[in-house]
Amino acid sequence: MDDVASVKIENANLRKIQNKLLQWDVSDNPLAPLTSVQKDVIYSLSLPPEEESGVAKELQREEEAVPGDFLSDSLREIESGSESIDTFRKFLSWCDRVNDEILDEEDSHHRDFLQHLKERRDDCDVLLEQINGTLQSLKQLEGEFQFVSTNTSSLHTASEKLIEDQERLSGLDGEIRQKLQYFTQLDTISQKLQNPTLSVLGDNFAEILNKLDESVEYLENHRDFKDYGQYMGKCRQCLAKVVQMMRSHVINVLSTATEQVLAPKKAPEGAKPREHTSDTAFALFYGKFQASAPKVKRVTNLIDQRRNRCPEYESLLQDLHEFYLSQRRVVMYPGVGAALQDLTATHRGDHCALVRAACAFLVHVCQDEHRLFLHFFPSHSREMNGFLDSLSLQLYDTLRPFVGQIAHLETLAELCSILRTEMLDEHVHHSPDSLAPFGRVINQLLHDVQDRLVVRARHYIQSDILYYKPSAGDLAYPDKLEMMESIALSLQETPPFLQRADSRASMFSMTSQEVDSINSQAESQMRSRTGSKYN
């Protein structure tokens, strides 16, 4: 195994030597460039003997063909005649000298080349010194670079740490400032609230409310702070001041509107007072309040947005609801009562028309009050339902006595139809938000009318059916029918302002009083005509 390895190593070395020999005379960058003569000599050495003599002869001819321009100094002296050879010793001496000169001339290019190599060696020594100096400088520069790099890295690390500390401190400062603003802004809010020019309708007031709410909420969530009680007391003071300002503003606006409605401008002397038509009544009872609504709605919106944050706002909104409704009671109760009394006088004797007109009037009143309330407040309330209940009870108190006086069954049945169909199904069903209290009163009134209808039906069954005893006039047919028709026609010839809206000449379109009147007149006339016969 060792022999095989050694053989392989020798073969590898031979291949390396051959590769080196091949690179001595390559065309590009040879290792040992040869002249043309040297190449020919090498070539001649590599030829067979028969070819070598031919090559040698060719080289000799080429050398003979070249003119010899080299003459030694001794030969020149002989040619010039400056020296003569007359003895054998001189000849030998001259031959030795010529031989030396020839040898010296042949070695001149070697000496020149040697001198050139010495100069190149000196240049290499200088270059080596310069390289050593450069390497020394580079080594020094590398050391300085390492020093600067180390210091720069240290500075960079220190800078990054400082930046991290700065960011951490900035974040901590921001957190502290953010937490402190809930405490420091209380003094600013208190100063602004003391400003007499501050208005609850301004944008600054809404901003104050927002900041105050933020402070209250933050303190409520951090009761463990050291001065929680002190700053919470400041918040409560500011909150009480804000609530008082909003309450005073709304009360003043509503009181002014109420005064304008209750004490309208007096007419000039000698001028007739204007009658309160439906348009003027609406402008009187609603126009003044609607004109004041924007001043109140902006404040009530601010309160309604905060009612769930703080109980003070919830209590304030409830107080404002009650005060508003108290003002509307002062305005509306006398007016509604007077209007119902006017309708009672206008439709005296016509219960169906009275109920229809009175209910329609209350429907409009309830809807107008509901719309007006939403002009002042963002949403409906229980207090508003109570107010509409009280207005609707005036209708009930006005109509209930008439229900107890009605004895005619057709009238009671028509009243049931009016209350159920026209009022409950048509009005209350389509407007449940505004007419729910009115619907409850109408239901109660409908129950009363139904009870009255049951009583009268029972009485009619007992008196006119069970214990009925016909009189002479009851059996006078068809004279009685003809007479009743003539009386009905005479009643239709009354002036237009006394006629009913429905001019049908039937018993079911008349009121109970008209039917009783016609029956009584017909019976009296029939008695006078047939009394002697039936007696």
Side-chain angles (χ1 to χ4, degrees):
M1 294 298 292
D2 295 337
D3 296 336
V4 174
S6 61
V7 170
K8 290 183 178 180
I9 294 173
E10 290 178 358
N11 292 333
N13 293 332
L14 289 175
R15 283 196 295 273
K16 291 181 180 179
I17 294 172
Q18 291 175 357
N19 290 333
K20 295 291 184 179
L21 292 175
L22 291 175
Q23 294 179 0
W24 283 2
D25 194 24
V26 294
S27 58
D28 296 333
N29 194 15
L31 295 177
L34 301 177
T35 63
S36 59
V37 177
Q38 292 172 343
K39 292 179 180 179
D40 292 338
V41 172
I42 293 173
Y43 179 72
S44 65
L45 293 175
S46 62
L47 292 176
E50 61 274 8
E51 294 182 0
E52 183 178 357
S53 59
V55 173
K57 293 179 180 179
E58 184 66 23
L59 291 174
Q60 185 178 3
R61 285 196 300 269
E62 289 180 358
E63 290 177 358
E64 290 176 357
V66 177
D69 57 352
F70 170 73
L71 291 176
S72 64
D73 294 338
S74 297
L75 291 176
R76 292 181 186 277
E77 291 176 356
I78 294 299
E79 283 184 357
S80 63
S82 61
E83 184 178 356
S84 62
I85 300 173
D86 51 0
T87 63
F88 181 74
R89 184 180 294 276
K90 286 183 178 180
F91 176 76
L92 293 175
S93 178
W94 177 80
C95 288
D96 292 335
R97 191 169 62 250
V98 169
N99 189 28
D100 293 337
E101 290 177 358
I102 291 171
L103 294 176
D104 185 63
E105 182 64 25
E106 290 178 355
D107 295 336
S108 62
H109 64 280
H110 295 290
R111 288 193 299 272
D112 293 339
F113 183 71
L114 180 60
Q115 183 65 29
H116 178 72
L117 290 177
K118 290 180 179 180
E119 292 177 356
R120 298 289 79 79
R121 185 183 63 183
D122 295 337
D123 293 338
C124 288
D125 292 339
V126 174
L127 182 60
L128 183 59
E129 291 179 358
Q130 292 178 355
I131 290 173
N132 291 330
T134 302
L135 291 175
Q136 188 67 26
S137 299
L138 289 175
K139 187 176 182 180
Q140 182 180 359
L141 183 61
E142 183 181 5
E144 294 176 355
F145 173 77
Q146 291 295 335
F147 176 75
V148 173
S149 177
T150 303
N151 292 336
T152 303
S153 300
S154 301
L155 180 61
H156 182 69
T157 304
S159 300
E160 288 183 348
K161 188 176 184 305
L162 289 175
I163 292 174
E164 292 178 358
D165 293 341
Q166 182 181 7
E167 292 178 352
R168 181 176 58 81
L169 292 175
S170 298
L172 184 61
D173 178 68
E175 293 179 0
I176 294 174
R177 288 179 181 274
Q178 184 178 3
K179 294 179 180 179
L180 282 178
Q181 69 174 354
Y182 300 111
F183 300 92
T184 57
Q185 67 186 3
L186 292 177
D187 296 332
T188 305
I189 293 174
S190 179
Q191 294 176 1
K192 290 182 179 180
L193 292 177
Q194 299 299 328
N195 189 357
T197 61
L198 180 64
S199 174
V200 297
L201 300 179
D203 296 334
N204 293 333
F205 189 78
E207 184 179 357
I208 290 174
L209 289 180
N210 292 331
K211 291 183 178 180
L212 184 58
D213 293 339
E214 291 175 357
S215 297
V216 172
E217 184 177 0
Y218 185 80
L219 289 175
E220 288 291 344
N221 295 330
H222 298 83
R223 295 175 175 268
D224 56 339
F225 284 0
K226 180 179 179 181
D227 297 331
Y228 163 78
Q230 177 182 354
Y231 286 99
M232 198 63 191
K234 291 183 179 181
C235 288
R236 295 300 179 188
Q237 293 177 0
C238 295
L239 186 61
K241 179 65 176 178
V242 167
V243 169
Q244 182 60 33
M245 291 178 64
M246 290 189 289
R247 178 185 283 109
S248 300
H249 171 77
V250 175
I251 290 176
N252 291 335
V253 172
L254 294 177
S255 300
T256 303
T258 304
E259 291 176 359
Q260 291 176 353
V261 173
L262 297 179
K265 295 181 180 180
K266 296 182 180 180
E269 295 182 359
K272 294 182 179 180
R274 292 182 296 178
E275 296 180 356
H276 291 297
T277 62
S278 59
D279 294 336
T280 58
F282 181 83
L284 178 63
F285 290 108
Y286 296 98
K288 300 295 183 181
F289 274 81
Q290 285 186 1
S292 305
K295 300 178 182 178
V296 176
K297 185 65 174 291
R298 185 168 184 176
V299 178
T300 55
N301 281 333
L302 295 175
I303 300 172
D304 187 73
Q305 294 170 2
R306 295 163 173 81
R307 61 188 303 179
N308 296 327
R309 298 182 183 178
C310 188
E312 284 80 357
Y313 291 116
E314 179 70 25
S315 177
L316 173 62
L317 188 62
Q318 186 175 359
D319 293 344
L320 295 181
H321 286 169
E322 294 177 355
F323 184 80
Y324 167 82
L325 295 175
S326 67
Q327 298 299 306
R328 292 304 298 171
R329 288 189 185 93
V330 172
V331 173
M332 294 303 297
Y333 275 16
V336 171
L340 291 176
Q341 293 301 322
D342 292 340
L343 291 174
T344 302
T346 301
H347 301 283
R348 185 181 301 277
D350 192 350
H351 299 96
C352 295
L354 174 62
V355 171
R356 183 179 284 109
C359 291
F361 170 71
L362 254 297
V363 166
H364 289 298
V365 169
C366 291
Q367 290 177 342
D368 293 339
E369 287 296 324
H370 183 267
R371 283 193 293 268
L372 184 64
F373 184 84
L374 295 180
H375 278 86
F376 284 86
F377 300 97
S379 59
H380 204 58
S381 66
R382 298 191 307 272
E383 292 81 3
M384 185 63 187
N385 290 331
F387 172 67
L388 296 179
D389 277 330
S390 60
L391 287 179
S392 301
L393 284 175
Q394 287 187 301
L395 172 68
Y396 182 82
D397 295 339
T398 301
L399 298 180
R400 182 65 183 83
F402 292 98
V403 173
Q405 299 173 6
I406 299 174
H408 201 265
L409 296 177
E410 286 82 357
T411 303
L412 292 172
E414 187 173 358
L415 288 179
C416 291
S417 177
I418 292 172
L419 295 175
R420 180 183 297 279
T421 304
E422 297 182 13
M423 298 304 150
L424 293 178
D425 295 342
E426 294 183 4
H427 292 289
V428 177
H429 179 72
H430 293 91
S431 300
D433 295 336
S434 58
L435 297 180
F438 172 77
R440 289 192 290 270
V441 173
I442 293 300
N443 269 320
Q444 182 62 38
L445 186 61
L446 176 61
H447 294 160
D448 294 343
V449 174
Q450 291 173 343
D451 292 341
R452 179 63 179 171
L453 179 61
V454 171
V455 172
R456 292 303 304 165
R458 183 181 302 162
H459 180 270
Y460 179 79
I461 291 172
Q462 291 179 354
S463 62
D464 293 352
I465 297 177
L466 183 61
Y467 302 108
Y468 174 69
K469 293 179 181 180
S471 62
D474 294 335
L475 301 176
Y477 286 95
D479 297 336
K480 185 176 179 179
L481 297 178
E482 294 176 354
M483 189 175 298
M484 291 175 65
E485 184 177 1
S486 65
I487 295 172
L489 292 174
S490 65
L491 290 176
Q492 291 181 358
E493 295 176 358
T494 56
F497 62 89
L498 295 178
Q499 292 181 4
R500 288 172 49 84
D502 186 6
S503 61
R504 293 176 297 171
S506 64
M507 291 296 293
F508 296 101
S509 64
M510 300 179 185
T511 62
S512 59
Q513 286 81 0
E514 292 175 351
V515 175
D516 294 339
S517 176
I518 293 173
N519 288 331
S520 61
Q521 293 180 15
E523 289 177 358
S524 62
Q525 292 181 11
M526 291 300 296
R527 278 196 203 92
S528 62
R529 292 182 183 180
T530 61
S532 58
K533 180 178 178 181
Y534 290 100
N535 289 333

